Amino acid sequence: MSVPLAKLPCPAYRCLQTLKLNILPLCAARWSSTSVVPRITTHYTIYPRDKDKRWEGVSMERFAEEADVVIVGAGPAGLSAAVRLKQLAAEREKDIRVCLVEKAAQIGAHTLSGACLDPGAFKELFPDWKEKGAPLNTPVTEDRFGILTEKYRIPVPILPGLPMNNHGNYIVRLGHLVTWMGEQAEALGVEVYPGYAAAEVLFHEDGSVKGIATNDVGIQKDGAPKTTFERGLELHAKVTIFAEGCHGHLAKQLYKKFNLRADCDTQTYGIGLKEVGLDYQNPYLSPFREFQRWKHHPSIQPTLEGGKRIAYGARALNEGGFQSIPKLTFPGGLLIGCSPGFMNVPKIKGTHTAMKSGSLAAESIFSQLTNENLQSKTIGLHVTEYEDNLKKSWVWKELYSVRNIRPSCHGILGLYGGMIYTGIFYWILRGMEPWTLKHKGSDSAQLRPAKDCTPIEYPKPDGKISFDLLSSVALSGTNHEHDQPAHLTLKDDSIPVNRNLAVYDGPEQRFCPAGVYEFVPLEQGDGFRLQINAQNCVHCKTCDIKDPSQNINWVVPEGGGGPAYNGM
Amino acid sequence: DPGQGGPASSRSLWSPWRLLPCEPWPLPQEPLTLPSPPAEQIRVKPDKTGVVTDGVKHSMNPFCEIAVEEAVRLKEKKLVKEVIAVSCGPVQCQETIRTALAMGADRGIHVEVPAAEADRVGPLQVARVLAKLAEREKVDLVLLGKQAIDDDCNQTGQMTAGLLDWPQGTFASQVTLEGAKLKVEREIDGGLETLRLKLPAVVTTDLRLNEPRYATLPNIMKAKKKKIEVIKASDLGVDLSSKLTVVSVEDPPQRTAGVKVETTEDLVAKLKEVGRI
């Protein structure tokens, strides 16, 4: 039967839908073999190459390099760990090989943040930051906090001691700070490799992490090898630090493999266009357009008037806080930074805790590496001291004290309830209440079916303060080698139209801040197909987070691709 | 030594770094059409003397990548003994030279120009440097990209050949070594032209010559051990001064909205209205 769903009479359509939702795997398998679902995904993580005829006879051998520590991700956390390791090595006159891989073409190109930096951890790591010219140039002089209604603004006083108080902090262009940190790391002898993405986690026979492999290059869009095909490099290490930032794709695999999320809440997220929470329920909501609308608010617009838009970017951030922190260590590796997620949500800061987690990881790893009497049960070292030390540090205290603020906004009184709660339990009692509120559940499960929601009419962008999506995406400088498999992979190619579009009106065409997902009419007949414009991707990870079918699996594209942020 | 029989022992040079510019792309009329977006957005400096280069990702000019690839292939065929990668510019050039070394070049020469003066180094200045280096290193073949994609000058190769008084084969889509002569197939407006050049010669590469290999990580690591010699233009006795001054650099004018008309009569009327006919 190859009648497109859209043509079937109503009751049959709904019946089939129910069948599909209940017996999804079986139905999907039958459906894709009989219906006209155009093939979208060609990536080898979904269609393995050892079963693919086009790969017969292609050598899949990889070279390997041995290091002491390999770090995935050159963001604030990864770079802090790298720098700290080399600082300790210099102090104790030990030689350790530290390799750092980063998918961006240059350090800082994929970094995006507000950013208002709490400089404690940074200054601890770089006491001579001023002499070395670190770009901390703008100390905060004034703070304003308010609640926006449709036309007005209710100012809220920021009393000292409240998490939003920014005294002593700096406004920074985090991309530039990260570039500076990268230079410090290289000067200390860290081997920094931008433009090479970690694509695969490697394991020893005993199940501990052996290291990572960088991405293969030279694969065509349809998944076949090019003449320039070459395997990635294997980087082996005694300990691998995973610092991929919010919702890392390798971390996603590690959570499953080592069951690291068994005792914590699911992580919840926001998207940083301007902190639009991703736990929204209306599938018609578009975070990008909400952001454009926000800029026109009477209390915001005057600040922007007369200005010129020179950059654009987006990134998911974690908002789960304390409750959503997973287990942080496993044999052969550990997680630092926004990857497990140490953001202090009401303070809207995660960079300082990310840096501290990197430093602590480095210290714990270093002590194991230099311990001559170390008896490890596994080949990859299990550095449990990192988690213990983190729990004794100010990071844990800080996250614990603010843990209930965001969940308290989910009660009946909403945001106002949250503010009352904060006033009593945080400001006065410093988060000492004995209970810990839980989150509502994963963001992807929050969407309600489109038929139960009202479409949102967004105002047209005016081209001066608000803008359309595509010209914004151009400003991100994002680009990818076009002839490679799309890195936004679907576990099942039929689900976007059959479920996401049918039930939720295709929320991916709205939540992606880069216009990657489009439902285009079929060339013949009625109905739609999903078109994935992988080249536009800005690596924000929102789709992997918010897809109600959890069908989208973001994997890393060829290294060097992605946005080209400059000091974002 | 071109006098001996057998394959000429030659070494080849390759050309300067350039920044990757923004090709202006029109805003799409229908919101859902998505043309391929450009790389890094380039902005004109407020003082109109040039474009902002601070923090912008610099990478090897694509045509130069093809030149390096061709040189490495000649070496792999054992027709060439040594490949030297050369770049003329500020300190970031060394990263680009490393990429060339990772692709297979044997050593690098960085002719360092302070960042403040780099903007004024144009094709003639670079050609002077390359000519002097070609003589110093006694090379038999200079391979460059046909043009840099930031200024699109398409002059450096030709000027280098002129200064050296060497034959040139530009826009090469195929290069074959025949003893002491080089057969170059060129892409020209009328089709394909084949030349036979006596070595030493200058060749500039066009798109269809080859598909460059990736600089993979194991090769990047090996490249760290290869030498890059850093010298100044004055060490070669080259004067980098230019007789050209940039008067101003401006954004292209904003594309104005088009007007749709219903009939031919309307079209003629509109054209008369704006004084075009």
PDB file of all heavy atoms in Angstrom, chain A residues 65 105-106 193 196 217-218 230 470 474-475 515 518 533 558 564 566, chain B residues 25 31-32 34 36 38 40-41 54-55 57 214-217 220-221:
ATOM      1  N   GLU A  65      47.656   7.368  18.118  1.00  0.00           N
ATOM      2  CA  GLU A  65      48.675   8.101  18.867  1.00  0.00           C
ATOM      3  C   GLU A  65      48.386   7.904  20.342  1.00  0.00           C
ATOM      4  O   GLU A  65      47.220   7.836  20.748  1.00  0.00           O
ATOM      5  CB  GLU A  65      48.592   9.592  18.557  1.00  0.00           C
ATOM      6  CG  GLU A  65      49.112   9.993  17.195  1.00  0.00           C
ATOM      7  CD  GLU A  65      50.624  10.206  17.189  1.00  0.00           C
ATOM      8  OE1 GLU A  65      51.189  10.541  18.242  1.00  0.00           O
ATOM      9  OE2 GLU A  65      51.220  10.024  16.130  1.00  0.00           O
ATOM     10  N   ALA A 105      36.914  25.262  13.451  1.00  0.00           N
ATOM     11  CA  ALA A 105      38.122  25.483  12.657  1.00  0.00           C
ATOM     12  C   ALA A 105      39.162  26.279  13.415  1.00  0.00           C
ATOM     13  O   ALA A 105      40.363  26.117  13.205  1.00  0.00           O
ATOM     14  CB  ALA A 105      37.765  26.184  11.354  1.00  0.00           C
ATOM     15  N   GLN A 106      38.729  27.167  14.284  1.00  0.00           N
ATOM     16  CA  GLN A 106      39.673  27.781  15.200  1.00  0.00           C
ATOM     17  C   GLN A 106      39.055  27.920  16.574  1.00  0.00           C
ATOM     18  O   GLN A 106      37.838  27.955  16.713  1.00  0.00           O
ATOM     19  CB  GLN A 106      40.220  29.120  14.698  1.00  0.00           C
ATOM     20  CG  GLN A 106      39.228  30.132  14.255  1.00  0.00           C
ATOM     21  CD  GLN A 106      39.936  31.386  13.738  1.00  0.00           C
ATOM     22  OE1 GLN A 106      41.074  31.338  13.272  1.00  0.00           O
ATOM     23  NE2 GLN A 106      39.253  32.511  13.814  1.00  0.00           N
ATOM     24  N   TYR A 193      44.389  20.831  18.630  1.00  0.00           N
ATOM     25  CA  TYR A 193      44.063  20.506  17.243  1.00  0.00           C
ATOM     26  C   TYR A 193      42.669  20.991  16.870  1.00  0.00           C
ATOM     27  O   TYR A 193      41.698  20.233  16.953  1.00  0.00           O
ATOM     28  CB  TYR A 193      44.175  18.998  17.010  1.00  0.00           C
ATOM     29  CG  TYR A 193      45.582  18.483  17.213  1.00  0.00           C
ATOM     30  CD1 TYR A 193      45.888  17.653  18.289  1.00  0.00           C
ATOM     31  CD2 TYR A 193      46.608  18.853  16.351  1.00  0.00           C
ATOM     32  CE1 TYR A 193      47.188  17.202  18.487  1.00  0.00           C
ATOM     33  CE2 TYR A 193      47.904  18.409  16.547  1.00  0.00           C
ATOM     34  CZ  TYR A 193      48.184  17.586  17.615  1.00  0.00           C
ATOM     35  OH  TYR A 193      49.458  17.139  17.810  1.00  0.00           O
ATOM     36  N   TYR A 196      39.387  19.338  14.103  1.00  0.00           N
ATOM     37  CA  TYR A 196      39.291  17.871  14.169  1.00  0.00           C
ATOM     38  C   TYR A 196      38.263  17.511  15.227  1.00  0.00           C
ATOM     39  O   TYR A 196      38.425  17.810  16.401  1.00  0.00           O
ATOM     40  CB  TYR A 196      40.658  17.252  14.485  1.00  0.00           C
ATOM     41  CG  TYR A 196      41.629  17.516  13.364  1.00  0.00           C
ATOM     42  CD1 TYR A 196      42.500  18.591  13.423  1.00  0.00           C
ATOM     43  CD2 TYR A 196      41.607  16.742  12.206  1.00  0.00           C
ATOM     44  CE1 TYR A 196      43.340  18.880  12.359  1.00  0.00           C
ATOM     45  CE2 TYR A 196      42.447  17.020  11.147  1.00  0.00           C
ATOM     46  CZ  TYR A 196      43.311  18.095  11.228  1.00  0.00           C
ATOM     47  OH  TYR A 196      44.135  18.378  10.174  1.00  0.00           O
ATOM     48  N   VAL A 217      37.185  11.568   6.876  1.00  0.00           N
ATOM     49  CA  VAL A 217      36.928  12.612   5.884  1.00  0.00           C
ATOM     50  C   VAL A 217      36.776  11.972   4.525  1.00  0.00           C
ATOM     51  O   VAL A 217      37.270  10.877   4.279  1.00  0.00           O
ATOM     52  CB  VAL A 217      38.077  13.647   5.835  1.00  0.00           C
ATOM     53  CG1 VAL A 217      38.110  14.464   7.095  1.00  0.00           C
ATOM     54  CG2 VAL A 217      39.417  12.990   5.581  1.00  0.00           C
ATOM     55  N   GLY A 218      36.110  12.667   3.640  1.00  0.00           N
ATOM     56  CA  GLY A 218      36.002  12.191   2.262  1.00  0.00           C
ATOM     57  C   GLY A 218      34.888  11.191   2.049  1.00  0.00           C
ATOM     58  O   GLY A 218      35.075  10.163   1.414  1.00  0.00           O
ATOM     59  N   GLU A 230      39.658   9.292   3.964  1.00  0.00           N
ATOM     60  CA  GLU A 230      40.699   8.884   4.916  1.00  0.00           C
ATOM     61  C   GLU A 230      40.082   8.698   6.272  1.00  0.00           C
ATOM     62  O   GLU A 230      39.198   9.459   6.676  1.00  0.00           O
ATOM     63  CB  GLU A 230      41.797   9.952   5.004  1.00  0.00           C
ATOM     64  CG  GLU A 230      42.882   9.730   3.970  1.00  0.00           C
ATOM     65  CD  GLU A 230      44.127  10.547   4.259  1.00  0.00           C
ATOM     66  OE1 GLU A 230      44.765  10.287   5.307  1.00  0.00           O
ATOM     67  OE2 GLU A 230      44.449  11.410   3.445  1.00  0.00           O
ATOM     68  N   LEU A 470      16.954  33.824   7.754  1.00  0.00           N
ATOM     69  CA  LEU A 470      18.042  33.466   6.850  1.00  0.00           C
ATOM     70  C   LEU A 470      19.165  34.493   6.831  1.00  0.00           C
ATOM     71  O   LEU A 470      20.341  34.143   6.770  1.00  0.00           O
ATOM     72  CB  LEU A 470      17.486  33.243   5.440  1.00  0.00           C
ATOM     73  CG  LEU A 470      16.591  32.012   5.376  1.00  0.00           C
ATOM     74  CD1 LEU A 470      15.996  31.868   3.994  1.00  0.00           C
ATOM     75  CD2 LEU A 470      17.358  30.755   5.747  1.00  0.00           C
ATOM     76  N   ALA A 474      23.107  33.763   7.937  1.00  0.00           N
ATOM     77  CA  ALA A 474      24.288  34.136   7.142  1.00  0.00           C
ATOM     78  C   ALA A 474      25.335  34.788   8.014  1.00  0.00           C
ATOM     79  O   ALA A 474      26.536  34.595   7.837  1.00  0.00           O
ATOM     80  CB  ALA A 474      23.872  35.080   6.019  1.00  0.00           C
ATOM     81  N   LEU A 475      24.872  35.567   8.998  1.00  0.00           N
ATOM     82  CA  LEU A 475      25.807  36.264   9.872  1.00  0.00           C
ATOM     83  C   LEU A 475      26.571  35.327  10.795  1.00  0.00           C
ATOM     84  O   LEU A 475      27.611  35.695  11.328  1.00  0.00           O
ATOM     85  CB  LEU A 475      25.051  37.292  10.730  1.00  0.00           C
ATOM     86  CG  LEU A 475      24.681  38.574  10.011  1.00  0.00           C
ATOM     87  CD1 LEU A 475      23.838  39.436  10.914  1.00  0.00           C
ATOM     88  CD2 LEU A 475      25.927  39.339   9.609  1.00  0.00           C
ATOM     89  N   GLY A 515      17.209  27.306  10.495  1.00  0.00           N
ATOM     90  CA  GLY A 515      16.472  26.933   9.298  1.00  0.00           C
ATOM     91  C   GLY A 515      16.957  25.641   8.654  1.00  0.00           C
ATOM     92  O   GLY A 515      16.916  25.496   7.424  1.00  0.00           O
ATOM     93  N   GLU A 518      13.057  21.813   6.969  1.00  0.00           N
ATOM     94  CA  GLU A 518      11.973  22.400   6.176  1.00  0.00           C
ATOM     95  C   GLU A 518      11.080  21.287   5.704  1.00  0.00           C
ATOM     96  O   GLU A 518      11.570  20.264   5.215  1.00  0.00           O
ATOM     97  CB  GLU A 518      12.555  23.005   4.909  1.00  0.00           C
ATOM     98  CG  GLU A 518      12.925  24.448   4.936  1.00  0.00           C
ATOM     99  CD  GLU A 518      13.336  24.877   3.546  1.00  0.00           C
ATOM    100  OE1 GLU A 518      14.494  24.619   3.185  1.00  0.00           O
ATOM    101  OE2 GLU A 518      12.497  25.437   2.839  1.00  0.00           O
ATOM    102  N   ASN A 533      18.629  20.940   5.600  1.00  0.00           N
ATOM    103  CA  ASN A 533      19.680  21.806   5.058  1.00  0.00           C
ATOM    104  C   ASN A 533      20.844  21.802   6.039  1.00  0.00           C
ATOM    105  O   ASN A 533      21.065  22.755   6.790  1.00  0.00           O
ATOM    106  CB  ASN A 533      19.132  23.223   4.872  1.00  0.00           C
ATOM    107  CG  ASN A 533      17.886  23.239   4.017  1.00  0.00           C
ATOM    108  OD1 ASN A 533      17.869  22.728   2.915  1.00  0.00           O
ATOM    109  ND2 ASN A 533      16.811  23.813   4.547  1.00  0.00           N
ATOM    110  N   GLU A 558      32.163  16.740   9.470  1.00  0.00           N
ATOM    111  CA  GLU A 558      33.608  16.824   9.247  1.00  0.00           C
ATOM    112  C   GLU A 558      34.158  18.014  10.015  1.00  0.00           C
ATOM    113  O   GLU A 558      33.573  19.105   9.984  1.00  0.00           O
ATOM    114  CB  GLU A 558      33.887  17.028   7.755  1.00  0.00           C
ATOM    115  CG  GLU A 558      34.117  15.744   7.013  1.00  0.00           C
ATOM    116  CD  GLU A 558      34.418  15.952   5.533  1.00  0.00           C
ATOM    117  OE1 GLU A 558      34.920  17.039   5.166  1.00  0.00           O
ATOM    118  OE2 GLU A 558      34.132  15.039   4.766  1.00  0.00           O
ATOM    119  N   ALA A 564      31.167  30.290  12.404  1.00  0.00           N
ATOM    120  CA  ALA A 564      32.456  30.994  12.495  1.00  0.00           C
ATOM    121  C   ALA A 564      32.234  32.228  13.359  1.00  0.00           C
ATOM    122  O   ALA A 564      32.309  33.355  12.894  1.00  0.00           O
ATOM    123  CB  ALA A 564      32.943  31.379  11.100  1.00  0.00           C
ATOM    124  N   ASN A 566      32.889  35.131  15.914  1.00  0.00           N
ATOM    125  CA  ASN A 566      34.070  35.918  16.241  1.00  0.00           C
ATOM    126  C   ASN A 566      33.790  36.699  17.511  1.00  0.00           C
ATOM    127  O   ASN A 566      33.114  37.709  17.488  1.00  0.00           O
ATOM    128  CB  ASN A 566      34.398  36.851  15.071  1.00  0.00           C
ATOM    129  CG  ASN A 566      35.674  37.635  15.318  1.00  0.00           C
ATOM    130  OD1 ASN A 566      36.289  37.564  16.380  1.00  0.00           O
ATOM    131  ND2 ASN A 566      36.090  38.392  14.318  1.00  0.00           N
TER     132      ASN A 566
ATOM    133  N   TRP B  25      25.817  37.289  -1.170  1.00  0.00           N
ATOM    134  CA  TRP B  25      24.739  36.453  -1.685  1.00  0.00           C
ATOM    135  C   TRP B  25      23.434  37.207  -1.546  1.00  0.00           C
ATOM    136  O   TRP B  25      23.211  37.870  -0.540  1.00  0.00           O
ATOM    137  CB  TRP B  25      24.699  35.103  -0.975  1.00  0.00           C
ATOM    138  CG  TRP B  25      24.424  35.160   0.487  1.00  0.00           C
ATOM    139  CD1 TRP B  25      25.197  35.725   1.436  1.00  0.00           C
ATOM    140  CD2 TRP B  25      23.300  34.622   1.170  1.00  0.00           C
ATOM    141  NE1 TRP B  25      24.637  35.566   2.664  1.00  0.00           N
ATOM    142  CE2 TRP B  25      23.482  34.895   2.556  1.00  0.00           C
ATOM    143  CE3 TRP B  25      22.159  33.922   0.760  1.00  0.00           C
ATOM    144  CZ2 TRP B  25      22.559  34.494   3.508  1.00  0.00           C
ATOM    145  CZ3 TRP B  25      21.252  33.531   1.724  1.00  0.00           C
ATOM    146  CH2 TRP B  25      21.445  33.814   3.066  1.00  0.00           C
ATOM    147  N   PRO B  31      11.029  32.988   1.289  1.00  0.00           N
ATOM    148  CA  PRO B  31      11.752  32.715   2.528  1.00  0.00           C
ATOM    149  C   PRO B  31      12.277  31.296   2.647  1.00  0.00           C
ATOM    150  O   PRO B  31      13.187  31.042   3.400  1.00  0.00           O
ATOM    151  CB  PRO B  31      10.727  33.005   3.632  1.00  0.00           C
ATOM    152  CG  PRO B  31       9.448  33.217   2.949  1.00  0.00           C
ATOM    153  CD  PRO B  31       9.692  33.508   1.534  1.00  0.00           C
ATOM    154  N   LEU B  32      11.721  30.349   1.871  1.00  0.00           N
ATOM    155  CA  LEU B  32      12.180  28.988   2.099  1.00  0.00           C
ATOM    156  C   LEU B  32      13.317  28.535   1.194  1.00  0.00           C
ATOM    157  O   LEU B  32      13.815  27.453   1.337  1.00  0.00           O
ATOM    158  CB  LEU B  32      11.019  27.999   1.976  1.00  0.00           C
ATOM    159  CG  LEU B  32       9.995  28.094   3.095  1.00  0.00           C
ATOM    160  CD1 LEU B  32       8.906  27.073   2.910  1.00  0.00           C
ATOM    161  CD2 LEU B  32      10.657  27.881   4.447  1.00  0.00           C
ATOM    162  N   LEU B  34      16.964  28.174   0.217  1.00  0.00           N
ATOM    163  CA  LEU B  34      18.164  28.347   1.014  1.00  0.00           C
ATOM    164  C   LEU B  34      19.420  28.164   0.177  1.00  0.00           C
ATOM    165  O   LEU B  34      19.850  27.054  -0.036  1.00  0.00           O
ATOM    166  CB  LEU B  34      18.178  27.336   2.169  1.00  0.00           C
ATOM    167  CG  LEU B  34      17.063  27.554   3.186  1.00  0.00           C
ATOM    168  CD1 LEU B  34      16.873  26.336   4.046  1.00  0.00           C
ATOM    169  CD2 LEU B  34      17.376  28.751   4.063  1.00  0.00           C
ATOM    170  N   SER B  36      23.411  28.224  -0.592  1.00  0.00           N
ATOM    171  CA  SER B  36      24.503  27.852   0.297  1.00  0.00           C
ATOM    172  C   SER B  36      25.105  29.090   0.930  1.00  0.00           C
ATOM    173  O   SER B  36      25.542  29.986   0.242  1.00  0.00           O
ATOM    174  CB  SER B  36      25.543  27.099  -0.528  1.00  0.00           C
ATOM    175  OG  SER B  36      26.804  27.243   0.053  1.00  0.00           O
ATOM    176  N   PRO B  38      27.618  31.743   2.804  1.00  0.00           N
ATOM    177  CA  PRO B  38      29.057  31.957   2.654  1.00  0.00           C
ATOM    178  C   PRO B  38      29.779  31.630   3.947  1.00  0.00           C
ATOM    179  O   PRO B  38      29.165  31.445   4.973  1.00  0.00           O
ATOM    180  CB  PRO B  38      29.159  33.446   2.368  1.00  0.00           C
ATOM    181  CG  PRO B  38      27.993  34.026   3.082  1.00  0.00           C
ATOM    182  CD  PRO B  38      26.893  32.997   3.026  1.00  0.00           C
ATOM    183  N   GLU B  40      32.703  32.909   6.785  1.00  0.00           N
ATOM    184  CA  GLU B  40      32.795  34.075   7.658  1.00  0.00           C
ATOM    185  C   GLU B  40      32.300  35.387   7.056  1.00  0.00           C
ATOM    186  O   GLU B  40      32.724  35.795   5.985  1.00  0.00           O
ATOM    187  CB  GLU B  40      34.258  34.242   8.035  1.00  0.00           C
ATOM    188  CG  GLU B  40      34.545  35.371   8.966  1.00  0.00           C
ATOM    189  CD  GLU B  40      34.756  34.893  10.377  1.00  0.00           C
ATOM    190  OE1 GLU B  40      35.351  33.829  10.529  1.00  0.00           O
ATOM    191  OE2 GLU B  40      34.337  35.596  11.297  1.00  0.00           O
ATOM    192  N   GLN B  41      31.409  36.051   7.745  1.00  0.00           N
ATOM    193  CA  GLN B  41      30.870  37.320   7.271  1.00  0.00           C
ATOM    194  C   GLN B  41      31.958  38.377   7.361  1.00  0.00           C
ATOM    195  O   GLN B  41      32.547  38.595   8.397  1.00  0.00           O
ATOM    196  CB  GLN B  41      29.685  37.694   8.167  1.00  0.00           C
ATOM    197  CG  GLN B  41      28.867  38.841   7.637  1.00  0.00           C
ATOM    198  CD  GLN B  41      28.029  38.450   6.438  1.00  0.00           C
ATOM    199  OE1 GLN B  41      27.909  37.271   6.116  1.00  0.00           O
ATOM    200  NE2 GLN B  41      27.463  39.412   5.767  1.00  0.00           N
ATOM    201  N   ASP B  54      40.664  41.112  12.055  1.00  0.00           N
ATOM    202  CA  ASP B  54      40.913  40.651  13.418  1.00  0.00           C
ATOM    203  C   ASP B  54      40.015  39.493  13.811  1.00  0.00           C
ATOM    204  O   ASP B  54      38.794  39.647  13.793  1.00  0.00           O
ATOM    205  CB  ASP B  54      40.625  41.816  14.380  1.00  0.00           C
ATOM    206  CG  ASP B  54      41.875  42.207  15.126  1.00  0.00           C
ATOM    207  OD1 ASP B  54      42.877  41.483  15.025  1.00  0.00           O
ATOM    208  OD2 ASP B  54      41.831  43.224  15.804  1.00  0.00           O
ATOM    209  N   GLY B  55      40.615  38.373  14.190  1.00  0.00           N
ATOM    210  CA  GLY B  55      39.782  37.272  14.668  1.00  0.00           C
ATOM    211  C   GLY B  55      39.081  36.505  13.571  1.00  0.00           C
ATOM    212  O   GLY B  55      38.409  35.522  13.812  1.00  0.00           O
ATOM    213  N   LYS B  57      38.774  33.942  10.572  1.00  0.00           N
ATOM    214  CA  LYS B  57      39.502  32.714  10.250  1.00  0.00           C
ATOM    215  C   LYS B  57      40.212  32.863   8.912  1.00  0.00           C
ATOM    216  O   LYS B  57      39.593  33.228   7.912  1.00  0.00           O
ATOM    217  CB  LYS B  57      38.512  31.546  10.193  1.00  0.00           C
ATOM    218  CG  LYS B  57      39.016  30.322   9.498  1.00  0.00           C
ATOM    219  CD  LYS B  57      39.667  29.355  10.471  1.00  0.00           C
ATOM    220  CE  LYS B  57      40.126  28.108   9.763  1.00  0.00           C
ATOM    221  NZ  LYS B  57      41.519  27.822   9.884  1.00  0.00           N
ATOM    222  N   TYR B 214      42.741  15.892   2.070  1.00  0.00           N
ATOM    223  CA  TYR B 214      42.547  16.508   3.381  1.00  0.00           C
ATOM    224  C   TYR B 214      43.879  16.490   4.131  1.00  0.00           C
ATOM    225  O   TYR B 214      44.667  15.580   3.985  1.00  0.00           O
ATOM    226  CB  TYR B 214      41.548  15.698   4.199  1.00  0.00           C
ATOM    227  CG  TYR B 214      40.130  15.795   3.731  1.00  0.00           C
ATOM    228  CD1 TYR B 214      39.647  14.966   2.734  1.00  0.00           C
ATOM    229  CD2 TYR B 214      39.248  16.721   4.297  1.00  0.00           C
ATOM    230  CE1 TYR B 214      38.336  15.045   2.316  1.00  0.00           C
ATOM    231  CE2 TYR B 214      37.935  16.801   3.888  1.00  0.00           C
ATOM    232  CZ  TYR B 214      37.489  15.957   2.886  1.00  0.00           C
ATOM    233  OH  TYR B 214      36.186  16.031   2.488  1.00  0.00           O
ATOM    234  N   ALA B 215      44.104  17.505   4.948  1.00  0.00           N
ATOM    235  CA  ALA B 215      45.257  17.489   5.855  1.00  0.00           C
ATOM    236  C   ALA B 215      44.799  16.771   7.108  1.00  0.00           C
ATOM    237  O   ALA B 215      44.164  17.342   7.974  1.00  0.00           O
ATOM    238  CB  ALA B 215      45.690  18.916   6.179  1.00  0.00           C
ATOM    239  N   THR B 216      45.070  15.461   7.158  1.00  0.00           N
ATOM    240  CA  THR B 216      44.547  14.679   8.277  1.00  0.00           C
ATOM    241  C   THR B 216      45.419  14.849   9.510  1.00  0.00           C
ATOM    242  O   THR B 216      46.580  15.227   9.434  1.00  0.00           O
ATOM    243  CB  THR B 216      44.504  13.190   7.914  1.00  0.00           C
ATOM    244  OG1 THR B 216      45.814  12.814   7.498  1.00  0.00           O
ATOM    245  CG2 THR B 216      43.499  12.948   6.824  1.00  0.00           C
ATOM    246  N   LEU B 217      44.841  14.531  10.645  1.00  0.00           N
ATOM    247  CA  LEU B 217      45.505  14.773  11.921  1.00  0.00           C
ATOM    248  C   LEU B 217      46.855  14.069  12.048  1.00  0.00           C
ATOM    249  O   LEU B 217      47.819  14.683  12.514  1.00  0.00           O
ATOM    250  CB  LEU B 217      44.566  14.387  13.068  1.00  0.00           C
ATOM    251  CG  LEU B 217      44.953  14.842  14.462  1.00  0.00           C
ATOM    252  CD1 LEU B 217      45.285  16.316  14.511  1.00  0.00           C
ATOM    253  CD2 LEU B 217      43.811  14.553  15.432  1.00  0.00           C
ATOM    254  N   ILE B 220      49.207  16.225  10.264  1.00  0.00           N
ATOM    255  CA  ILE B 220      49.425  17.492  10.957  1.00  0.00           C
ATOM    256  C   ILE B 220      50.445  17.266  12.061  1.00  0.00           C
ATOM    257  O   ILE B 220      51.348  18.093  12.275  1.00  0.00           O
ATOM    258  CB  ILE B 220      48.115  18.039  11.546  1.00  0.00           C
ATOM    259  CG1 ILE B 220      47.182  18.496  10.447  1.00  0.00           C
ATOM    260  CG2 ILE B 220      48.377  19.157  12.541  1.00  0.00           C
ATOM    261  CD1 ILE B 220      47.314  19.935  10.050  1.00  0.00           C
ATOM    262  N   MET B 221      50.322  16.146  12.764  1.00  0.00           N
ATOM    263  CA  MET B 221      51.272  15.874  13.845  1.00  0.00           C
ATOM    264  C   MET B 221      52.673  15.686  13.281  1.00  0.00           C
ATOM    265  O   MET B 221      53.647  16.201  13.836  1.00  0.00           O
ATOM    266  CB  MET B 221      50.831  14.627  14.610  1.00  0.00           C
ATOM    267  CG  MET B 221      49.606  14.857  15.455  1.00  0.00           C
ATOM    268  SD  MET B 221      49.177  13.360  16.357  1.00  0.00           S
ATOM    269  CE  MET B 221      47.847  13.946  17.374  1.00  0.00           C
TER     270      MET B 221
END
